Amino acid sequence: YYMTLKMKPRKPFIAIDLGGTIEDTWTDKSAWFASKGIDLGRYPLSRTDIVDGSRVTEALYLEMVASVYSDEHILGHRPVAGCYEALIAVSVHFDLIVLSSRPESQRAVTVQWLRQNGLLRVIDDLVLIGSDVSKLSWCQRHHVSILIDDDVRHLQAEDDGTSPTRIHYTGCTPQASHFGQS
């Protein structure tokens, strides 16, 4: 006598950064810097690009972070265009983990943002690791297959064969261009 259980096969894990990858923070970042007289251009830049490639100091960048990533500002951010559809497509083949370097103290506002934008039902887990833990090492410990992040700092490490596949998401243009039109 054998009993066959139908078990849902476990899908591989994919970890996706939140701010700048799922949540459009570029609009507020560039506006904040513009209010200080610094034009970062039209296209999203990572922290490294902003600090290393302009007259932005680390201290000024952290001042922007305190403002743009405050609870009140988070709730006003919009999702990156097309992210809902992309997450749905990816969820067919992967269990989705939103992996953020936000502190645990911002869990409630982050869950609220995900809920108000219809994204909470798409993801399988929300992990807030703060700034003390490397995203790559967290992914290695939790057997994550792929890590997607807009900040290359979270993707850089010596590849010892256990690192997940790393994808540097550099964003999209704020508006679609219309090729062939003058």
PDB file of all heavy atoms in Angstrom, residues 25-33 38-41 43-58 60-62 64-65 68-69 150-153:
ATOM      1  N   THR A  25      12.318  55.308  -6.675  1.00  0.00           N
ATOM      2  CA  THR A  25      12.885  56.313  -5.777  1.00  0.00           C
ATOM      3  C   THR A  25      13.647  57.375  -6.563  1.00  0.00           C
ATOM      4  O   THR A  25      13.988  58.417  -6.023  1.00  0.00           O
ATOM      5  CB  THR A  25      13.824  55.658  -4.747  1.00  0.00           C
ATOM      6  OG1 THR A  25      14.826  54.899  -5.443  1.00  0.00           O
ATOM      7  CG2 THR A  25      13.053  54.744  -3.806  1.00  0.00           C
ATOM      8  N   TRP A  26      13.910  57.099  -7.851  1.00  0.00           N
ATOM      9  CA  TRP A  26      14.695  58.019  -8.659  1.00  0.00           C
ATOM     10  C   TRP A  26      14.030  59.382  -8.774  1.00  0.00           C
ATOM     11  O   TRP A  26      14.691  60.419  -8.706  1.00  0.00           O
ATOM     12  CB  TRP A  26      14.968  57.441 -10.049  1.00  0.00           C
ATOM     13  CG  TRP A  26      15.766  58.402 -10.863  1.00  0.00           C
ATOM     14  CD1 TRP A  26      15.349  59.112 -11.947  1.00  0.00           C
ATOM     15  CD2 TRP A  26      17.114  58.804 -10.625  1.00  0.00           C
ATOM     16  NE1 TRP A  26      16.361  59.917 -12.407  1.00  0.00           N
ATOM     17  CE2 TRP A  26      17.460  59.744 -11.609  1.00  0.00           C
ATOM     18  CE3 TRP A  26      18.074  58.455  -9.671  1.00  0.00           C
ATOM     19  CZ2 TRP A  26      18.710  60.344 -11.671  1.00  0.00           C
ATOM     20  CZ3 TRP A  26      19.321  59.049  -9.728  1.00  0.00           C
ATOM     21  CH2 TRP A  26      19.629  59.980 -10.719  1.00  0.00           C
ATOM     22  N   THR A  27      12.722  59.412  -8.953  1.00  0.00           N
ATOM     23  CA  THR A  27      12.013  60.677  -9.106  1.00  0.00           C
ATOM     24  C   THR A  27      12.274  61.583  -7.907  1.00  0.00           C
ATOM     25  O   THR A  27      12.620  62.760  -8.068  1.00  0.00           O
ATOM     26  CB  THR A  27      10.501  60.420  -9.276  1.00  0.00           C
ATOM     27  OG1 THR A  27      10.313  59.574 -10.422  1.00  0.00           O
ATOM     28  CG2 THR A  27       9.731  61.702  -9.461  1.00  0.00           C
ATOM     29  N   ASP A  28      12.143  61.024  -6.702  1.00  0.00           N
ATOM     30  CA  ASP A  28      12.372  61.818  -5.491  1.00  0.00           C
ATOM     31  C   ASP A  28      13.853  62.126  -5.278  1.00  0.00           C
ATOM     32  O   ASP A  28      14.210  63.214  -4.829  1.00  0.00           O
ATOM     33  CB  ASP A  28      11.812  61.117  -4.256  1.00  0.00           C
ATOM     34  CG  ASP A  28      10.305  61.276  -4.136  1.00  0.00           C
ATOM     35  OD1 ASP A  28       9.697  61.951  -4.998  1.00  0.00           O
ATOM     36  OD2 ASP A  28       9.725  60.729  -3.189  1.00  0.00           O
ATOM     37  N   LYS A  29      14.729  61.173  -5.583  1.00  0.00           N
ATOM     38  CA  LYS A  29      16.169  61.412  -5.425  1.00  0.00           C
ATOM     39  C   LYS A  29      16.616  62.566  -6.316  1.00  0.00           C
ATOM     40  O   LYS A  29      17.290  63.493  -5.866  1.00  0.00           O
ATOM     41  CB  LYS A  29      16.987  60.170  -5.805  1.00  0.00           C
ATOM     42  CG  LYS A  29      17.007  59.068  -4.800  1.00  0.00           C
ATOM     43  CD  LYS A  29      17.842  57.927  -5.359  1.00  0.00           C
ATOM     44  CE  LYS A  29      17.784  56.704  -4.501  1.00  0.00           C
ATOM     45  NZ  LYS A  29      18.563  55.591  -5.078  1.00  0.00           N
ATOM     46  N   SER A  30      16.265  62.493  -7.586  1.00  0.00           N
ATOM     47  CA  SER A  30      16.722  63.531  -8.509  1.00  0.00           C
ATOM     48  C   SER A  30      16.103  64.881  -8.159  1.00  0.00           C
ATOM     49  O   SER A  30      16.779  65.912  -8.263  1.00  0.00           O
ATOM     50  CB  SER A  30      16.446  63.140  -9.964  1.00  0.00           C
ATOM     51  OG  SER A  30      15.069  62.921 -10.177  1.00  0.00           O
ATOM     52  N   ALA A  31      14.846  64.906  -7.708  1.00  0.00           N
ATOM     53  CA  ALA A  31      14.211  66.167  -7.288  1.00  0.00           C
ATOM     54  C   ALA A  31      14.900  66.723  -6.041  1.00  0.00           C
ATOM     55  O   ALA A  31      15.114  67.930  -5.924  1.00  0.00           O
ATOM     56  CB  ALA A  31      12.723  65.952  -7.033  1.00  0.00           C
ATOM     57  N   TRP A  32      15.253  65.844  -5.102  1.00  0.00           N
ATOM     58  CA  TRP A  32      15.918  66.292  -3.878  1.00  0.00           C
ATOM     59  C   TRP A  32      17.256  66.941  -4.227  1.00  0.00           C
ATOM     60  O   TRP A  32      17.581  68.019  -3.750  1.00  0.00           O
ATOM     61  CB  TRP A  32      16.109  65.122  -2.917  1.00  0.00           C
ATOM     62  CG  TRP A  32      16.568  65.532  -1.555  1.00  0.00           C
ATOM     63  CD1 TRP A  32      15.786  65.814  -0.475  1.00  0.00           C
ATOM     64  CD2 TRP A  32      17.926  65.727  -1.122  1.00  0.00           C
ATOM     65  NE1 TRP A  32      16.564  66.165   0.596  1.00  0.00           N
ATOM     66  CE2 TRP A  32      17.884  66.127   0.228  1.00  0.00           C
ATOM     67  CE3 TRP A  32      19.158  65.602  -1.732  1.00  0.00           C
ATOM     68  CZ2 TRP A  32      19.028  66.391   0.971  1.00  0.00           C
ATOM     69  CZ3 TRP A  32      20.309  65.872  -1.002  1.00  0.00           C
ATOM     70  CH2 TRP A  32      20.226  66.262   0.332  1.00  0.00           C
ATOM     71  N   PHE A  33      18.046  66.278  -5.075  1.00  0.00           N
ATOM     72  CA  PHE A  33      19.336  66.841  -5.465  1.00  0.00           C
ATOM     73  C   PHE A  33      19.152  68.114  -6.290  1.00  0.00           C
ATOM     74  O   PHE A  33      19.929  69.054  -6.156  1.00  0.00           O
ATOM     75  CB  PHE A  33      20.192  65.812  -6.205  1.00  0.00           C
ATOM     76  CG  PHE A  33      20.847  64.822  -5.281  1.00  0.00           C
ATOM     77  CD1 PHE A  33      20.486  63.491  -5.296  1.00  0.00           C
ATOM     78  CD2 PHE A  33      21.826  65.233  -4.393  1.00  0.00           C
ATOM     79  CE1 PHE A  33      21.082  62.577  -4.439  1.00  0.00           C
ATOM     80  CE2 PHE A  33      22.437  64.325  -3.529  1.00  0.00           C
ATOM     81  CZ  PHE A  33      22.058  62.996  -3.550  1.00  0.00           C
ATOM     82  N   ILE A  38      21.883  70.433  -7.865  1.00  0.00           N
ATOM     83  CA  ILE A  38      22.663  69.368  -8.494  1.00  0.00           C
ATOM     84  C   ILE A  38      21.757  68.605  -9.453  1.00  0.00           C
ATOM     85  O   ILE A  38      20.775  67.985  -9.044  1.00  0.00           O
ATOM     86  CB  ILE A  38      23.242  68.400  -7.435  1.00  0.00           C
ATOM     87  CG1 ILE A  38      24.143  69.169  -6.471  1.00  0.00           C
ATOM     88  CG2 ILE A  38      23.982  67.254  -8.103  1.00  0.00           C
ATOM     89  CD1 ILE A  38      24.550  68.391  -5.245  1.00  0.00           C
ATOM     90  N   ASP A  39      22.084  68.664 -10.730  1.00  0.00           N
ATOM     91  CA  ASP A  39      21.313  67.968 -11.759  1.00  0.00           C
ATOM     92  C   ASP A  39      21.979  66.616 -12.017  1.00  0.00           C
ATOM     93  O   ASP A  39      23.109  66.561 -12.508  1.00  0.00           O
ATOM     94  CB  ASP A  39      21.274  68.795 -13.044  1.00  0.00           C
ATOM     95  CG  ASP A  39      20.493  68.117 -14.161  1.00  0.00           C
ATOM     96  OD1 ASP A  39      19.814  67.094 -13.909  1.00  0.00           O
ATOM     97  OD2 ASP A  39      20.571  68.607 -15.305  1.00  0.00           O
ATOM     98  N   LEU A  40      21.276  65.556 -11.691  1.00  0.00           N
ATOM     99  CA  LEU A  40      21.828  64.216 -11.893  1.00  0.00           C
ATOM    100  C   LEU A  40      21.475  63.646 -13.258  1.00  0.00           C
ATOM    101  O   LEU A  40      21.889  62.538 -13.588  1.00  0.00           O
ATOM    102  CB  LEU A  40      21.325  63.263 -10.800  1.00  0.00           C
ATOM    103  CG  LEU A  40      21.771  63.583  -9.381  1.00  0.00           C
ATOM    104  CD1 LEU A  40      21.158  62.588  -8.398  1.00  0.00           C
ATOM    105  CD2 LEU A  40      23.287  63.586  -9.269  1.00  0.00           C
ATOM    106  N   GLY A  41      20.703  64.377 -14.016  1.00  0.00           N
ATOM    107  CA  GLY A  41      20.307  63.889 -15.328  1.00  0.00           C
ATOM    108  C   GLY A  41      18.983  63.158 -15.272  1.00  0.00           C
ATOM    109  O   GLY A  41      18.346  63.038 -14.229  1.00  0.00           O
ATOM    110  N   TYR A  43      18.358  59.899 -16.294  1.00  0.00           N
ATOM    111  CA  TYR A  43      18.371  58.448 -16.127  1.00  0.00           C
ATOM    112  C   TYR A  43      18.802  58.040 -14.727  1.00  0.00           C
ATOM    113  O   TYR A  43      19.697  58.643 -14.142  1.00  0.00           O
ATOM    114  CB  TYR A  43      19.292  57.811 -17.173  1.00  0.00           C
ATOM    115  CG  TYR A  43      18.857  58.156 -18.571  1.00  0.00           C
ATOM    116  CD1 TYR A  43      19.508  59.142 -19.292  1.00  0.00           C
ATOM    117  CD2 TYR A  43      17.759  57.523 -19.147  1.00  0.00           C
ATOM    118  CE1 TYR A  43      19.087  59.478 -20.567  1.00  0.00           C
ATOM    119  CE2 TYR A  43      17.333  57.858 -20.410  1.00  0.00           C
ATOM    120  CZ  TYR A  43      17.998  58.836 -21.125  1.00  0.00           C
ATOM    121  OH  TYR A  43      17.572  59.171 -22.382  1.00  0.00           O
ATOM    122  N   PRO A  44      18.174  57.000 -14.186  1.00  0.00           N
ATOM    123  CA  PRO A  44      18.516  56.549 -12.831  1.00  0.00           C
ATOM    124  C   PRO A  44      19.992  56.177 -12.696  1.00  0.00           C
ATOM    125  O   PRO A  44      20.572  55.552 -13.576  1.00  0.00           O
ATOM    126  CB  PRO A  44      17.628  55.305 -12.645  1.00  0.00           C
ATOM    127  CG  PRO A  44      16.497  55.500 -13.588  1.00  0.00           C
ATOM    128  CD  PRO A  44      17.074  56.209 -14.767  1.00  0.00           C
ATOM    129  N   LEU A  45      20.561  56.593 -11.577  1.00  0.00           N
ATOM    130  CA  LEU A  45      21.951  56.287 -11.248  1.00  0.00           C
ATOM    131  C   LEU A  45      21.986  55.575  -9.897  1.00  0.00           C
ATOM    132  O   LEU A  45      21.163  55.839  -9.028  1.00  0.00           O
ATOM    133  CB  LEU A  45      22.778  57.576 -11.144  1.00  0.00           C
ATOM    134  CG  LEU A  45      22.871  58.449 -12.381  1.00  0.00           C
ATOM    135  CD1 LEU A  45      23.524  59.778 -12.038  1.00  0.00           C
ATOM    136  CD2 LEU A  45      23.640  57.732 -13.481  1.00  0.00           C
ATOM    137  N   SER A  46      22.973  54.722  -9.722  1.00  0.00           N
ATOM    138  CA  SER A  46      23.138  54.049  -8.435  1.00  0.00           C
ATOM    139  C   SER A  46      23.859  54.983  -7.466  1.00  0.00           C
ATOM    140  O   SER A  46      24.419  56.007  -7.860  1.00  0.00           O
ATOM    141  CB  SER A  46      23.949  52.760  -8.605  1.00  0.00           C
ATOM    142  OG  SER A  46      25.301  53.061  -8.879  1.00  0.00           O
ATOM    143  N   ARG A  47      23.877  54.593  -6.225  1.00  0.00           N
ATOM    144  CA  ARG A  47      24.567  55.372  -5.195  1.00  0.00           C
ATOM    145  C   ARG A  47      26.027  55.606  -5.573  1.00  0.00           C
ATOM    146  O   ARG A  47      26.550  56.711  -5.457  1.00  0.00           O
ATOM    147  CB  ARG A  47      24.461  54.639  -3.855  1.00  0.00           C
ATOM    148  CG  ARG A  47      25.168  55.336  -2.720  1.00  0.00           C
ATOM    149  CD  ARG A  47      25.011  54.520  -1.454  1.00  0.00           C
ATOM    150  NE  ARG A  47      25.525  55.223  -0.301  1.00  0.00           N
ATOM    151  CZ  ARG A  47      25.034  55.072   0.919  1.00  0.00           C
ATOM    152  NH1 ARG A  47      24.024  54.272   1.135  1.00  0.00           N
ATOM    153  NH2 ARG A  47      25.553  55.740   1.921  1.00  0.00           N
ATOM    154  N   THR A  48      26.676  54.559  -6.023  1.00  0.00           N
ATOM    155  CA  THR A  48      28.084  54.664  -6.410  1.00  0.00           C
ATOM    156  C   THR A  48      28.257  55.678  -7.533  1.00  0.00           C
ATOM    157  O   THR A  48      29.161  56.508  -7.485  1.00  0.00           O
ATOM    158  CB  THR A  48      28.620  53.286  -6.851  1.00  0.00           C
ATOM    159  OG1 THR A  48      28.402  52.356  -5.793  1.00  0.00           O
ATOM    160  CG2 THR A  48      30.087  53.340  -7.190  1.00  0.00           C
ATOM    161  N   ASP A  49      27.383  55.622  -8.531  1.00  0.00           N
ATOM    162  CA  ASP A  49      27.463  56.568  -9.640  1.00  0.00           C
ATOM    163  C   ASP A  49      27.257  58.004  -9.171  1.00  0.00           C
ATOM    164  O   ASP A  49      27.916  58.921  -9.638  1.00  0.00           O
ATOM    165  CB  ASP A  49      26.432  56.238 -10.712  1.00  0.00           C
ATOM    166  CG  ASP A  49      26.703  54.925 -11.415  1.00  0.00           C
ATOM    167  OD1 ASP A  49      27.875  54.507 -11.480  1.00  0.00           O
ATOM    168  OD2 ASP A  49      25.730  54.304 -11.894  1.00  0.00           O
ATOM    169  N   ILE A  50      26.325  58.195  -8.251  1.00  0.00           N
ATOM    170  CA  ILE A  50      26.017  59.545  -7.769  1.00  0.00           C
ATOM    171  C   ILE A  50      27.165  60.103  -6.936  1.00  0.00           C
ATOM    172  O   ILE A  50      27.607  61.234  -7.146  1.00  0.00           O
ATOM    173  CB  ILE A  50      24.702  59.553  -6.964  1.00  0.00           C
ATOM    174  CG1 ILE A  50      23.524  59.235  -7.885  1.00  0.00           C
ATOM    175  CG2 ILE A  50      24.492  60.891  -6.262  1.00  0.00           C
ATOM    176  CD1 ILE A  50      22.211  58.982  -7.159  1.00  0.00           C
ATOM    177  N   VAL A  51      27.675  59.308  -6.011  1.00  0.00           N
ATOM    178  CA  VAL A  51      28.736  59.801  -5.118  1.00  0.00           C
ATOM    179  C   VAL A  51      30.071  59.907  -5.846  1.00  0.00           C
ATOM    180  O   VAL A  51      30.795  60.884  -5.693  1.00  0.00           O
ATOM    181  CB  VAL A  51      28.848  58.921  -3.854  1.00  0.00           C
ATOM    182  CG1 VAL A  51      30.041  59.321  -3.006  1.00  0.00           C
ATOM    183  CG2 VAL A  51      27.561  59.020  -3.036  1.00  0.00           C
ATOM    184  N   ASP A  52      30.410  58.932  -6.657  1.00  0.00           N
ATOM    185  CA  ASP A  52      31.703  58.942  -7.348  1.00  0.00           C
ATOM    186  C   ASP A  52      31.715  59.822  -8.595  1.00  0.00           C
ATOM    187  O   ASP A  52      32.748  60.322  -8.983  1.00  0.00           O
ATOM    188  CB  ASP A  52      32.106  57.522  -7.753  1.00  0.00           C
ATOM    189  CG  ASP A  52      32.427  56.650  -6.554  1.00  0.00           C
ATOM    190  OD1 ASP A  52      32.591  57.189  -5.449  1.00  0.00           O
ATOM    191  OD2 ASP A  52      32.494  55.416  -6.733  1.00  0.00           O
ATOM    192  N   GLY A  53      30.539  59.994  -9.208  1.00  0.00           N
ATOM    193  CA  GLY A  53      30.516  60.658 -10.494  1.00  0.00           C
ATOM    194  C   GLY A  53      30.015  62.089 -10.488  1.00  0.00           C
ATOM    195  O   GLY A  53      29.797  62.670 -11.539  1.00  0.00           O
ATOM    196  N   SER A  54      29.822  62.676  -9.336  1.00  0.00           N
ATOM    197  CA  SER A  54      29.321  64.057  -9.286  1.00  0.00           C
ATOM    198  C   SER A  54      29.901  64.761  -8.071  1.00  0.00           C
ATOM    199  O   SER A  54      30.770  64.243  -7.395  1.00  0.00           O
ATOM    200  CB  SER A  54      27.792  64.046  -9.230  1.00  0.00           C
ATOM    201  OG  SER A  54      27.350  63.502  -8.004  1.00  0.00           O
ATOM    202  N   ARG A  55      29.368  65.915  -7.799  1.00  0.00           N
ATOM    203  CA  ARG A  55      29.869  66.657  -6.635  1.00  0.00           C
ATOM    204  C   ARG A  55      29.088  66.325  -5.367  1.00  0.00           C
ATOM    205  O   ARG A  55      29.040  67.099  -4.431  1.00  0.00           O
ATOM    206  CB  ARG A  55      29.861  68.148  -6.919  1.00  0.00           C
ATOM    207  CG  ARG A  55      28.558  68.654  -7.423  1.00  0.00           C
ATOM    208  CD  ARG A  55      28.692  70.066  -7.990  1.00  0.00           C
ATOM    209  NE  ARG A  55      27.437  70.375  -8.628  1.00  0.00           N
ATOM    210  CZ  ARG A  55      26.676  71.397  -8.327  1.00  0.00           C
ATOM    211  NH1 ARG A  55      27.057  72.255  -7.433  1.00  0.00           N
ATOM    212  NH2 ARG A  55      25.543  71.580  -8.937  1.00  0.00           N
ATOM    213  N   VAL A  56      28.522  65.147  -5.328  1.00  0.00           N
ATOM    214  CA  VAL A  56      27.764  64.695  -4.166  1.00  0.00           C
ATOM    215  C   VAL A  56      28.704  63.964  -3.216  1.00  0.00           C
ATOM    216  O   VAL A  56      29.351  62.988  -3.589  1.00  0.00           O
ATOM    217  CB  VAL A  56      26.601  63.770  -4.592  1.00  0.00           C
ATOM    218  CG1 VAL A  56      25.897  63.204  -3.382  1.00  0.00           C
ATOM    219  CG2 VAL A  56      25.636  64.521  -5.493  1.00  0.00           C
ATOM    220  N   THR A  57      28.759  64.428  -1.988  1.00  0.00           N
ATOM    221  CA  THR A  57      29.551  63.753  -0.962  1.00  0.00           C
ATOM    222  C   THR A  57      28.716  62.648  -0.330  1.00  0.00           C
ATOM    223  O   THR A  57      27.488  62.634  -0.453  1.00  0.00           O
ATOM    224  CB  THR A  57      29.968  64.746   0.142  1.00  0.00           C
ATOM    225  OG1 THR A  57      28.776  65.217   0.787  1.00  0.00           O
ATOM    226  CG2 THR A  57      30.770  65.903  -0.415  1.00  0.00           C
ATOM    227  N   GLU A  58      29.382  61.750   0.353  1.00  0.00           N
ATOM    228  CA  GLU A  58      28.668  60.687   1.067  1.00  0.00           C
ATOM    229  C   GLU A  58      27.720  61.290   2.095  1.00  0.00           C
ATOM    230  O   GLU A  58      26.594  60.820   2.264  1.00  0.00           O
ATOM    231  CB  GLU A  58      29.671  59.732   1.726  1.00  0.00           C
ATOM    232  CG  GLU A  58      29.039  58.516   2.369  1.00  0.00           C
ATOM    233  CD  GLU A  58      28.422  57.533   1.374  1.00  0.00           C
ATOM    234  OE1 GLU A  58      28.797  57.505   0.196  1.00  0.00           O
ATOM    235  OE2 GLU A  58      27.527  56.771   1.805  1.00  0.00           O
ATOM    236  N   LEU A  60      26.185  64.210   2.014  1.00  0.00           N
ATOM    237  CA  LEU A  60      25.014  64.769   1.328  1.00  0.00           C
ATOM    238  C   LEU A  60      24.100  63.654   0.842  1.00  0.00           C
ATOM    239  O   LEU A  60      22.875  63.758   0.931  1.00  0.00           O
ATOM    240  CB  LEU A  60      25.454  65.657   0.154  1.00  0.00           C
ATOM    241  CG  LEU A  60      24.344  66.440  -0.544  1.00  0.00           C
ATOM    242  CD1 LEU A  60      23.637  67.399   0.428  1.00  0.00           C
ATOM    243  CD2 LEU A  60      24.909  67.204  -1.735  1.00  0.00           C
ATOM    244  N   TYR A  61      24.689  62.563   0.366  1.00  0.00           N
ATOM    245  CA  TYR A  61      23.887  61.420  -0.070  1.00  0.00           C
ATOM    246  C   TYR A  61      23.074  60.871   1.105  1.00  0.00           C
ATOM    247  O   TYR A  61      21.888  60.578   0.965  1.00  0.00           O
ATOM    248  CB  TYR A  61      24.763  60.330  -0.689  1.00  0.00           C
ATOM    249  CG  TYR A  61      23.930  59.278  -1.384  1.00  0.00           C
ATOM    250  CD1 TYR A  61      23.600  59.417  -2.723  1.00  0.00           C
ATOM    251  CD2 TYR A  61      23.447  58.169  -0.693  1.00  0.00           C
ATOM    252  CE1 TYR A  61      22.809  58.472  -3.355  1.00  0.00           C
ATOM    253  CE2 TYR A  61      22.656  57.231  -1.325  1.00  0.00           C
ATOM    254  CZ  TYR A  61      22.338  57.390  -2.657  1.00  0.00           C
ATOM    255  OH  TYR A  61      21.542  56.467  -3.281  1.00  0.00           O
ATOM    256  N   LEU A  62      23.690  60.742   2.254  1.00  0.00           N
ATOM    257  CA  LEU A  62      22.983  60.225   3.431  1.00  0.00           C
ATOM    258  C   LEU A  62      21.878  61.173   3.889  1.00  0.00           C
ATOM    259  O   LEU A  62      20.844  60.728   4.394  1.00  0.00           O
ATOM    260  CB  LEU A  62      23.968  59.938   4.557  1.00  0.00           C
ATOM    261  CG  LEU A  62      24.914  58.766   4.296  1.00  0.00           C
ATOM    262  CD1 LEU A  62      25.951  58.654   5.408  1.00  0.00           C
ATOM    263  CD2 LEU A  62      24.149  57.461   4.125  1.00  0.00           C
ATOM    264  N   MET A  64      20.098  62.945   1.794  1.00  0.00           N
ATOM    265  CA  MET A  64      19.030  62.622   0.848  1.00  0.00           C
ATOM    266  C   MET A  64      18.315  61.343   1.256  1.00  0.00           C
ATOM    267  O   MET A  64      17.092  61.276   1.246  1.00  0.00           O
ATOM    268  CB  MET A  64      19.610  62.491  -0.567  1.00  0.00           C
ATOM    269  CG  MET A  64      18.590  62.104  -1.637  1.00  0.00           C
ATOM    270  SD  MET A  64      18.174  60.337  -1.739  1.00  0.00           S
ATOM    271  CE  MET A  64      19.744  59.587  -2.087  1.00  0.00           C
ATOM    272  N   VAL A  65      19.072  60.331   1.653  1.00  0.00           N
ATOM    273  CA  VAL A  65      18.476  59.056   2.065  1.00  0.00           C
ATOM    274  C   VAL A  65      17.509  59.264   3.224  1.00  0.00           C
ATOM    275  O   VAL A  65      16.396  58.718   3.229  1.00  0.00           O
ATOM    276  CB  VAL A  65      19.575  58.032   2.443  1.00  0.00           C
ATOM    277  CG1 VAL A  65      19.009  56.831   3.178  1.00  0.00           C
ATOM    278  CG2 VAL A  65      20.334  57.592   1.197  1.00  0.00           C
ATOM    279  N   VAL A  68      14.325  60.990   1.435  1.00  0.00           N
ATOM    280  CA  VAL A  68      13.627  60.209   0.418  1.00  0.00           C
ATOM    281  C   VAL A  68      13.132  58.869   0.964  1.00  0.00           C
ATOM    282  O   VAL A  68      12.076  58.379   0.558  1.00  0.00           O
ATOM    283  CB  VAL A  68      14.528  60.017  -0.818  1.00  0.00           C
ATOM    284  CG1 VAL A  68      13.948  59.005  -1.797  1.00  0.00           C
ATOM    285  CG2 VAL A  68      14.759  61.358  -1.507  1.00  0.00           C
ATOM    286  N   TYR A  69      13.865  58.284   1.891  1.00  0.00           N
ATOM    287  CA  TYR A  69      13.479  56.985   2.448  1.00  0.00           C
ATOM    288  C   TYR A  69      12.795  57.110   3.809  1.00  0.00           C
ATOM    289  O   TYR A  69      12.699  56.130   4.546  1.00  0.00           O
ATOM    290  CB  TYR A  69      14.692  56.055   2.534  1.00  0.00           C
ATOM    291  CG  TYR A  69      15.174  55.621   1.168  1.00  0.00           C
ATOM    292  CD1 TYR A  69      16.196  56.300   0.520  1.00  0.00           C
ATOM    293  CD2 TYR A  69      14.585  54.549   0.515  1.00  0.00           C
ATOM    294  CE1 TYR A  69      16.636  55.916  -0.740  1.00  0.00           C
ATOM    295  CE2 TYR A  69      15.011  54.151  -0.745  1.00  0.00           C
ATOM    296  CZ  TYR A  69      16.036  54.839  -1.361  1.00  0.00           C
ATOM    297  OH  TYR A  69      16.458  54.452  -2.614  1.00  0.00           O
ATOM    298  N   ASP A 150      19.643  47.521  -8.072  1.00  0.00           N
ATOM    299  CA  ASP A 150      20.045  48.683  -8.861  1.00  0.00           C
ATOM    300  C   ASP A 150      21.374  49.261  -8.392  1.00  0.00           C
ATOM    301  O   ASP A 150      21.965  50.076  -9.074  1.00  0.00           O
ATOM    302  CB  ASP A 150      18.961  49.774  -8.824  1.00  0.00           C
ATOM    303  CG  ASP A 150      18.806  50.386  -7.451  1.00  0.00           C
ATOM    304  OD1 ASP A 150      18.723  49.633  -6.456  1.00  0.00           O
ATOM    305  OD2 ASP A 150      18.738  51.622  -7.351  1.00  0.00           O
ATOM    306  N   ASP A 151      21.832  48.848  -7.229  1.00  0.00           N
ATOM    307  CA  ASP A 151      23.082  49.380  -6.678  1.00  0.00           C
ATOM    308  C   ASP A 151      24.164  48.310  -6.779  1.00  0.00           C
ATOM    309  O   ASP A 151      24.120  47.282  -6.106  1.00  0.00           O
ATOM    310  CB  ASP A 151      22.878  49.798  -5.221  1.00  0.00           C
ATOM    311  CG  ASP A 151      24.037  50.605  -4.665  1.00  0.00           C
ATOM    312  OD1 ASP A 151      25.163  50.504  -5.208  1.00  0.00           O
ATOM    313  OD2 ASP A 151      23.827  51.312  -3.672  1.00  0.00           O
ATOM    314  N   VAL A 152      25.139  48.582  -7.628  1.00  0.00           N
ATOM    315  CA  VAL A 152      26.184  47.603  -7.916  1.00  0.00           C
ATOM    316  C   VAL A 152      26.971  47.201  -6.666  1.00  0.00           C
ATOM    317  O   VAL A 152      27.533  46.106  -6.607  1.00  0.00           O
ATOM    318  CB  VAL A 152      27.100  48.113  -9.056  1.00  0.00           C
ATOM    319  CG1 VAL A 152      28.004  49.230  -8.582  1.00  0.00           C
ATOM    320  CG2 VAL A 152      27.887  46.987  -9.676  1.00  0.00           C
ATOM    321  N   ARG A 153      26.985  48.063  -5.637  1.00  0.00           N
ATOM    322  CA  ARG A 153      27.698  47.716  -4.403  1.00  0.00           C
ATOM    323  C   ARG A 153      27.182  46.404  -3.809  1.00  0.00           C
ATOM    324  O   ARG A 153      27.934  45.649  -3.198  1.00  0.00           O
ATOM    325  CB  ARG A 153      27.519  48.803  -3.338  1.00  0.00           C
ATOM    326  CG  ARG A 153      28.145  50.123  -3.650  1.00  0.00           C
ATOM    327  CD  ARG A 153      27.783  51.173  -2.602  1.00  0.00           C
ATOM    328  NE  ARG A 153      26.353  51.199  -2.345  1.00  0.00           N
ATOM    329  CZ  ARG A 153      25.798  51.187  -1.121  1.00  0.00           C
ATOM    330  NH1 ARG A 153      26.532  51.191  -0.042  1.00  0.00           N
ATOM    331  NH2 ARG A 153      24.490  51.206  -0.980  1.00  0.00           N
TER     332      ARG A 153
END
